[in-house]
Amino acid sequence: MNHPAAKPSLPQRLKQAFAALFEGRAPRAAAARDLSRGRAPRARFDQRLRLGIVLALMLLASVSLVARAAYVQLVDQDFYQKEGDARTVREIEIPVSRGMITDRNGEPLAISSPVESVWCDPKELLKDGADRLPELARALGESNDSLERRVSQKGDKEFMYLKRRINPDEARAIVALGVPGVYSKREYRRFYPQGDAMAHVLGFTNIDDEGQEGVELAFDDWLRGKPGMKKVVRDRDGHIVENLDLIEPAVPGKDLTLSIDRRIQYLTYKELKRQIEQSGAASGSAVVLDVATGEVLAMANWPSFNPNMVEGSDREAHRNRAVTDLFEPGSTMKPITVATALEDHKITPNTIFDTSPGWMPNGKFTTTDTHNYGVLDVTGIIRKSSNVGASKIAQRLDNQEFYDSIRRFGYGASTHSGFPGEAAGLLPPPARWSGTTKQTMSYGYGIAVTPLQVAHAYVTLANGGREIQPSFVKGAPVESKQVLDPTVAHEVLKMMQTVTEPGGTAYPYGAILGYHVAGKTGTANKASNGGYAKHYDTFFAGVVPVDNPRFAMAVVVNDPSKGSHFGGLVAAPVFRNVMDGALRLMDVPPDDIDAWLAAQAKGTTKLPAAPPEPEEDDAALDATIPSAAEERSAQ
């Protein structure tokens, strides 16, 4: 008995329909196959139905895709926008150049040149370019092991410098290798055209273009500027394909005009260096100030360094000795001692002192001169640089009056020039003086000053007794105050003029033909092991021209070892050569026409080469100057 075939279930029928639809089987063939298998023939599909189902499915898929796109772009766009931006949009720094530094005449002293720095994304480099590290290392000029170690240490970072501040062509060649994750960026490098001649004034910057010493440090905020930020789109190779937005505008560094005259600066440096090399000295400093404004026209030191190649240079040579190093000023102190006594009406220019027999007691010590000068007036004490004469003048002074006067000349306090690391010097108050202090202080022992302070004090004398604050910036407002009677200041200058004339301790090496020069030599024993050794600081400080002062200059030569150690022979020639050139560079008219005409009539423009008068500061003082240890214990 034949039973009718079981009717296929709905899922079976759908399965059969789709099989017929997508496998392309003909309805008739399907029916024949069903009959051969003992099944009832399947129903035939309508072609229109089949096409309708396909179109419906395609429409459904299209609607789904459009709906999803609309949702992503209109409803939930923030998430995907963020994900896209994270892969292509970057905020990058807009580099700015550091402000240019110029001298008082606009000549460049420090400029910033564009360079390139090569950097990488360590993650990307290790992931996609690890096999190219040897090639990259060769291009960078370092070993493969070194580069692998550096990159591996930063493997979790997205930024690392590979090589900084190099020639743009070199950077482009490295990036052109196409190593994944390697890029370049614009930076700036400082360049100093004057080299070591200007090194101590300007200082230098570090690899991030930040001031480290000198003017670069003192005015870093002014010079540095402020980098900007912008939003950009980068392609997969790191190239900027679109600028999206300026987040913060870049503010370039401001230019700075110094009071320095590069011509006088170079002349000062050259003459100082030459004299130090000739005398076998350990070091030296020189400062030139403009009398009317207090501006620093030149400041040089030796040894020096090249600020363009700071790496590997001697750190000791970086120190600006003219503002940081202290020394006992020796006989350059005597004009201040005389000025104090004149203003306090304790003496007059014609007051007579008997310096015989060339020495005098100072407590348990003895103050001596190199010669017995006998009877000297005040001018003679300056001209011959008599320690005994200065001591006798100091005996007439009240301790507090003497101390206050020295303070008014700027000793014992910073000049407030604004230079980093400037030393204030040492000036003990009267309460700490011993019985020998005032006498030794009158000729420059027992206090400590910088070369800048000495030049500053002589500007006060040249400026009619008006103390004016030194400055490294042209035209900067500075403070000034009257600290000495103008008549007294002029009288002291006239006394100092005799030092550079026949019979003075700086003639002829401190004299300048055609100009009256007011100056003072000094040769001070250096403190050593609680006393004083046979090593010397030699000085010359002066003002020119006397009748209408334009420049003040102080020169210090530390420990000359060849030939003489007298200030008149070692330091005074530096003053003469620098001032002779500066007077002509600045077209300063001569104030000693008669001497000039007389020299012209003789067919010469040079002063006689007679040796200077010996100074008081000789080796004979070694055993007569109080030891530093005893002075300190007494204070």
Side-chain angles (χ1 to χ4, degrees):
M1 182 174 180
N2 294 331
H3 297 281
K7 186 177 181 180
S9 65
L10 180 61
Q12 289 177 330
R13 291 200 303 272
L14 287 174
K15 183 177 180 181
Q16 292 170 359
F18 277 106
L21 177 65
F22 291 105
E23 294 177 10
R25 294 178 299 182
R28 185 172 298 173
R33 189 163 55 251
D34 288 342
L35 287 173
S36 67
R37 295 176 180 175
R39 301 181 197 171
R42 289 177 293 179
R44 296 176 57 187
F45 281 92
D46 189 342
Q47 293 289 344
R48 289 184 178 181
L49 177 61
R50 183 183 300 177
L51 182 61
I53 292 174
V54 171
L55 292 176
L57 291 175
M58 293 180 63
L59 179 61
L60 179 61
S62 299
V63 171
S64 298
L65 290 174
V66 171
R68 181 60 179 169
Y71 178 80
V72 167
Q73 296 187 37
L74 299 178
V75 179
D76 194 25
Q77 61 176 328
D78 292 343
F79 172 77
Y80 291 96
Q81 183 69 42
K82 182 179 179 181
E83 290 297 310
D85 290 348
R87 291 161 174 77
T88 60
V89 177
R90 294 288 186 270
E91 290 184 3
I92 64 172
E93 183 180 273
I94 305 173
V96 293
S97 63
R98 194 173 176 86
M100 181 169 63
I101 302 176
T102 67
D103 81 339
R104 64 186 304 107
N105 301 311
E107 295 291 336
L109 303 179
I111 57 178
S112 292
S113 301
V115 291
E116 291 285 324
S117 289
V118 179
W119 64 278
C120 74
D121 181 339
K123 288 183 178 180
E124 183 180 355
L125 179 57
L126 291 174
K127 178 183 177 182
D128 301 326
D131 58 332
R132 301 191 63 184
L133 283 177
E135 180 185 1
L136 179 60
R138 287 193 298 272
L140 293 171
E142 66 176 300
S143 68
N144 185 42
D145 290 342
S146 172
L147 180 61
E148 284 186 355
R149 184 170 55 254
R150 287 202 298 137
V151 175
S152 298
Q153 290 173 348
K154 301 283 187 179
D156 59 340
K157 307 295 182 182
E158 294 184 351
F159 181 90
M160 185 189 84
Y161 281 114
L162 294 174
K163 197 169 186 179
R164 296 197 65 182
R165 301 201 305 181
I166 60 177
N167 186 289
D169 291 339
E170 182 182 354
R172 282 193 288 268
I174 295 173
V175 175
L177 296 174
V179 178
V182 177
Y183 314 101
S184 69
K185 61 178 290 189
R186 169 65 58 86
E187 289 192 308
Y188 291 90
R189 182 174 183 175
R190 208 64 162 161
F191 177 62
Y192 303 95
Q194 305 300 316
D196 49 1
M198 199 76 69
H200 292 105
V201 173
L202 297 177
F204 54 88
T205 61
N206 62 11
I207 197 168
D208 293 314
D209 221 17
E210 299 169 340
Q212 298 298 291
E213 292 185 13
V215 169
E216 293 278 27
L217 174 60
F219 296 93
D220 187 55
D221 291 340
W222 178 271
L223 293 166
R224 192 193 307 178
K226 186 178 181 182
M229 293 293 292
K230 64 179 179 179
K231 186 179 292 186
V232 301
V233 176
R234 289 184 183 273
D235 62 15
R236 64 183 303 273
D237 295 323
H239 302 132
I240 297 176
V241 297
E242 183 181 1
N243 290 309
L244 296 179
D245 188 24
L246 177 63
I247 300 174
E248 186 174 355
V251 180
K254 304 181 185 69
D255 293 343
L256 180 66
T257 302
L258 299 184
S259 59
I260 297 290
D261 188 307
R262 70 173 182 87
R263 302 167 299 175
I264 301 176
Q265 174 72 25
Y266 178 75
L267 184 60
T268 303
Y269 174 77
K270 181 186 72 173
E271 293 296 333
L272 179 67
K273 178 182 177 182
R274 180 169 63 181
Q275 188 65 359
I276 289 174
E277 291 175 343
Q278 289 180 354
S279 64
S283 62
S285 301
V287 180
V288 181
L289 300 182
D290 186 294
V291 168
T293 65
E295 293 177 346
V296 180
L297 298 176
M299 179 178 285
N301 299 275
W302 181 259
S304 187
F305 67 98
N306 185 354
N308 296 302
M309 300 178 64
V310 177
E311 297 81 4
S313 61
D314 183 8
R315 288 288 303 172
E316 185 70 12
H318 294 179
R319 190 171 73 250
N320 187 348
R321 301 171 185 270
V323 298
T324 63
D325 284 16
L326 299 177
F327 61 89
E328 292 175 298
S331 292
T332 60
M333 178 69 183
K334 288 172 182 170
I336 297 176
T337 301
V338 170
T340 303
L342 287 171
E343 186 166 54
D344 289 345
H345 305 291
K346 302 297 173 60
I347 61 172
T348 70
N350 300 318
T351 301
I352 300 298
F353 292 90
D354 186 0
T355 65
S356 298
W359 62 272
M360 66 178 289
N362 184 16
K364 60 181 179 179
F365 305 105
T366 302
T367 295
T368 67
D369 289 335
T370 54
H371 300 286
N372 180 3
Y373 295 119
V375 176
L376 296 173
D377 62 8
V378 177
T379 300
I381 291 173
I382 294 291
R383 181 174 65 253
K384 297 297 184 182
S385 198
S386 170
N387 287 340
V388 174
S391 298
K392 291 193 172 186
I393 292 174
Q395 287 179 340
R396 301 189 180 191
L397 296 173
D398 175 77
N399 288 357
Q400 192 64 45
E401 288 176 346
F402 191 28
Y403 172 80
D404 290 342
S405 177
I406 298 173
R407 289 281 296 186
R408 287 196 297 271
F409 275 91
Y411 290 169
S414 169
T415 67
H416 302 292
S417 68
F419 199 90
E422 180 182 354
L426 299 173
L427 178 62
R432 296 173 56 195
W433 291 4
S434 70
T436 65
T437 301
K438 184 169 65 173
Q439 190 165 317
T440 56
M441 192 180 291
S442 70
Y443 51 87
Y445 287 91
I447 67 172
V449 298
T450 66
L452 176 60
Q453 286 177 318
V454 175
H456 172 236
Y458 277 49
V459 163
T460 300
L461 288 172
N463 225 1
R466 177 167 288 277
E467 185 267 339
I468 186 167
Q469 177 183 324
S471 171
F472 285 87
V473 178
K474 182 182 179 182
V478 294
E479 297 181 1
S480 67
K481 57 185 176 182
Q482 195 72 33
V483 299
L484 183 69
D485 184 270
T487 302
V488 171
H490 186 69
E491 288 174 343
V492 174
L493 281 185
K494 284 296 186 181
M495 295 177 191
M496 293 166 60
Q497 181 179 321
T498 65
V499 174
T500 63
E501 295 175 342
T505 57
Y507 184 82
Y509 298 112
I512 302 174
L513 186 62
Y515 296 88
H516 292 301
V517 177
K520 188 68 195 74
T521 56
T523 309
N525 294 71
K526 294 172 69 69
S528 176
N529 296 324
Y532 288 87
K534 290 186 178 181
H535 296 276
Y536 305 90
D537 285 319
T538 62
F539 322 111
F540 186 84
V543 174
V544 64
V546 172
D547 293 334
N548 186 21
R550 183 65 185 274
F551 306 118
M553 182 176 183
V555 181
V556 181
V557 178
N558 174 28
D559 199 14
S561 60
K562 298 178 183 178
S564 174
H565 60 265
F566 292 136
L569 281 168
V570 179
V574 179
F575 172 92
R576 178 194 61 195
N577 295 338
V578 173
M579 288 294 95
D580 189 34
L583 290 165
R584 283 155 179 74
L585 284 171
M586 306 298 278
D587 294 324
V588 179
D591 65 342
D592 189 8
I593 299 296
D594 292 340
W596 176 263
L597 294 177
Q600 291 289 337
K602 294 179 181 179
T604 179
T605 58
K606 295 183 178 180
L607 291 164
E613 189 77 9
E615 298 176 68
E616 83 296 342
D617 298 309
D618 203 351
L621 289 178
D622 291 357
T624 63
I625 301 173
S627 72
E630 290 170 317
E631 282 291 314
R632 293 191 191 99
S633 65
Q635 294 168 2

